[in-house]
Amino acid sequence: MEHTRRLGVLGGMGPKATSVFMDQIIEATVADRDQDHIDMIILNHASLPDRTHVILENDPEPFLREIEKDIRLLEYADVANIAMPCNTAHYYIEEMQRMTPIPIIDMVEETMKAIHAQHGDGCKVGILATNGTLHSGIYSKSALKYNMVPHVPEPEVQQQVMNIIYKDIKGGFQVDPKETEDIIHNLVTVDGCQCVIIACTELSIIPFSAEAKRVCVDAMDVLVRRSIELSQRRD
């Protein structure tokens, strides 16, 4: 008998990114009918403490306490794998994985593997992310592990990135892709990056041009593909 392996989603970080993740999974799944799609249990836990604040203040306990409750709910729902469409929260993936035998898909690891497969050793990788993600070093460490060279934006450019994420996207304003695309363009042409990671699920919401997409790898896209692979129907 065929069955799907149900996907659990630790969501709400932020809510819009979670809805985009769900939409992308539906759009990327090869399906002729409802029953061909994967089953998902989505927790849109928007009241979770801000991840950048948690990392910068080094105060993870309130966040991890709430996450553990969500993991228990997903265990009760009998999910086979857990996806977390939030890059910054991956700083705590080891602590979360210790809470449960259910595999949590490592978006950072999967993304760096995909970039290395495409570009190989020595690739200079630009990282577009929150201050929390950059401060945590999760992408830089993973890049070095795969013999690639991480590159973070200059402080004034990083402030621009934070404004786009927090003031524009999380603030609910219409975002002009050009501002972020100019940053990507400069990372490639001025800073010499061969690839730029979209390492914030909020930035994944921006409708980038084909030209920008050619030099980018979006961590959310990687998570979507891996989530589908792990949840597809099995005989």
Side-chain angles (χ1 to χ4, degrees):
M1 181 182 154
E2 284 189 335
H3 67 284
T4 60
R5 292 187 290 177
R6 192 177 294 161
L7 180 71
V9 181
L10 288 172
M13 304 179 274
K16 182 71 176 169
T18 301
S19 82
V20 169
F21 175 72
M22 183 180 177
D23 285 344
Q24 286 189 6
I25 285 213
I26 292 164
E27 285 164 22
T29 302
V30 178
D32 298 318
R33 54 184 187 143
D34 291 351
Q35 291 75 20
D36 294 333
H37 286 277
I38 69 172
D39 293 333
M40 290 185 272
I41 304 293
I42 298 167
L43 300 178
N44 197 47
H45 194 166
S47 62
L48 282 164
D50 181 80
R51 281 63 59 197
T52 287
H53 179 78
V54 164
I55 289 170
L56 296 180
E57 296 295 317
N58 193 24
D59 183 27
E61 289 314 313
F63 172 71
L64 290 173
R65 264 199 312 273
E66 292 302 310
I67 281 286
E68 186 159 16
K69 292 177 196 170
D70 290 348
I71 286 172
R72 295 291 163 261
L73 283 170
L74 293 177
E75 286 177 338
Y76 184 74
D78 196 26
V79 303
N81 294 280
I82 294 172
M84 184 167 56
C86 173
N87 288 273
T88 313
H90 277 69
Y91 183 59
Y92 298 111
I93 192 167
E94 288 178 11
E95 288 89 336
M96 294 179 199
Q97 190 61 82
R98 284 198 290 269
M99 296 172 184
T100 181
I102 299 169
I104 301 173
I105 304 165
D106 191 333
M107 176 161 54
V108 177
E109 185 76 1
E110 296 290 346
T111 299
M112 299 316 291
K113 271 198 291 193
I115 293 171
H116 186 264
Q118 195 177 334
H119 294 281
D121 285 3
C123 173
K124 188 173 184 181
V125 185
I127 305 166
L128 285 186
T130 62
N131 289 350
T133 298
L134 293 186
H135 181 78
S136 74
I138 51 176
Y139 275 100
S140 293
K141 285 173 195 157
S142 191
L144 293 169
K145 185 173 112 180
Y146 284 96
N147 297 316
M148 297 187 291
V149 182
H151 175 82
V152 300
E154 296 296 324
E156 64 275 11
V157 177
Q158 180 57 25
Q159 188 53 56
Q160 243 185 306
V161 173
M162 284 295 281
N163 288 342
I164 292 165
I165 295 167
Y166 277 86
K167 290 186 179 173
D168 298 345
I169 299 171
K170 285 184 184 286
F173 294 102
Q174 193 70 38
V175 178
D176 180 0
K178 188 175 184 315
E179 187 181 0
T180 314
E181 287 177 358
D182 286 346
I183 293 170
I184 292 166
H185 180 74
N186 286 337
L187 284 170
V188 173
T189 59
V190 178
D191 298 332
C193 296
Q194 289 138 284
C195 174
V196 176
I197 308 173
I198 305 301
C200 172
T201 49
E202 251 72 38
L203 296 175
S204 303
I205 292 162
I206 299 172
F208 291 122
S209 67
E211 186 186 350
K213 283 180 178 175
R214 266 197 300 275
V215 295
C216 290
V217 170
D218 189 333
M220 173 101 92
D221 290 345
V222 175
L223 182 64
V224 164
R225 286 198 303 273
R226 191 70 184 122
S227 296
I228 293 169
E229 283 168 13
L230 290 169
S231 307
Q232 289 283 29
R233 289 183 174 276
R234 295 280 187 260
D235 290 333

